[in-house]
Amino acid sequence: MIYKVKKVIYKTRYFNKWARKHSLNDLLLRKAVLEIRSGLIDANLGGGVVKKRIALTGRGKRSSTRTLLATNLRNKWIFIFGFEKNEMDNISEKELLTLKMLANDLLGMSAAQIKVAVLPFKKVL
């Protein structure tokens, strides 16, 4: 018997506010998750955190946005942080440690707990 596993994508409220400000829509985020699932990861930062560059309209990936996701690389995808290349080169070690702790907490939650903690925007890929 084959069971289909739901693949759910979420974004934190903080990330959602940042994404709206930078015109990063849900279609672009879904595309990013599909690319990661295909093996196109910009960096696996460890602790359930991956980095993915997303190109905005009229800009290539090199000069565009960077997003960080908490993920188990199977069925949980949670956008937790974003920044533009022109705003900062990268996150600090302290920020990375904090994001890894957040990822650990979020990935350990049930679907019901995650729905309370973050905003779902696409239930099934």
Side-chain angles (χ1 to χ4, degrees):
M1 188 176 280
I2 298 174
Y3 295 96
K4 269 190 141 178
V5 177
K6 287 185 178 183
K7 291 156 188 78
V8 183
I9 304 171
Y10 297 98
K11 52 189 170 184
T12 63
R13 286 174 176 82
Y14 173 85
F15 182 89
N16 186 54
K17 184 177 177 181
W18 176 86
R20 276 196 324 259
K21 180 180 172 189
H22 292 87
S23 302
L24 198 60
N25 62 44
D26 290 351
L27 181 62
L28 291 171
L29 300 178
R30 284 192 293 271
K31 182 180 174 194
V33 169
L34 290 173
E35 288 178 2
I36 294 169
R37 290 181 62 212
S38 298
L40 299 173
I41 298 174
D42 293 311
N44 187 337
L45 304 176
V49 178
V50 297
K51 178 179 176 181
K52 181 68 180 157
R53 294 183 295 179
I54 300 176
L56 295 175
T57 305
R59 293 167 49 184
K61 285 186 179 183
R62 292 184 75 190
S63 63
S64 213
T65 62
R66 275 73 172 132
T67 60
L68 300 179
L69 294 89
T71 180
N72 61 6
L73 298 175
R74 291 184 309 280
N75 62 352
K76 286 185 183 176
W77 309 89
I78 308 165
F79 285 89
I80 56 176
F81 189 76
F83 60 96
E84 290 216 28
K85 180 71 173 172
N86 63 2
E87 293 174 353
M88 63 191 297
D89 286 331
N90 222 330
I91 60 172
S92 70
E93 287 296 320
K94 185 176 180 181
E95 290 168 323
L96 179 58
L97 180 60
T98 301
L99 291 171
K100 285 180 180 181
M101 291 185 324
L102 175 61
N104 185 57
D105 289 346
L106 290 171
L107 295 173
M109 291 180 177
S110 68
Q113 291 171 317
I114 290 174
K115 285 180 185 179
V116 172
V118 298
L119 299 170
F121 72 87
K122 179 67 178 171
K123 299 210 176 189
V124 180
L125 282 178

